[in-house]
Amino acid sequence: MQQAIDGTVRPIGNVLLGKERQVRLALCALCSRGHVLIEDLPGRGKTTLSQALARALGLQFTRVQFTSDM
């Protein structure tokens, strides 16, 4: 299992630098059939992280954008 996780984290790390912990946490949530809500400041790679995870796992990517007052 560790080899599969490392094999997924490594290519995403080539696209998204310095976010290995976040990638591993997102993979953990996906493996446990959970949901992931990514919150951070604008321009920090949230969409890139989601797209890279979807591509690496062969999943479909969709994005819902909203503000806290919605």
Side-chain angles (χ1 to χ4, degrees), residues 4-66:
I5 291 171
D6 289 340
T8 304
V9 171
R10 194 174 304 113
I12 295 171
N14 293 335
V15 175
L16 197 63
L17 302 175
K19 298 282 187 181
E20 182 177 339
R21 181 173 186 269
Q22 289 83 346
V23 172
R24 289 184 181 275
L25 288 172
L27 279 173
C28 181
L30 291 172
C31 288
S32 63
R33 298 180 54 105
H35 297 269
V36 178
L37 175 64
I38 303 173
E39 295 180 299
D40 204 346
L41 297 172
R44 298 290 181 163
K46 300 176 293 290
T47 301
T48 305
L49 169 62
S50 302
Q51 288 174 332
L53 274 171
R55 283 192 187 126
L57 299 174
L59 302 173
Q60 181 182 356
F61 171 79
T62 57
R63 180 175 182 239
V64 177
Q65 184 175 358
F66 62 93

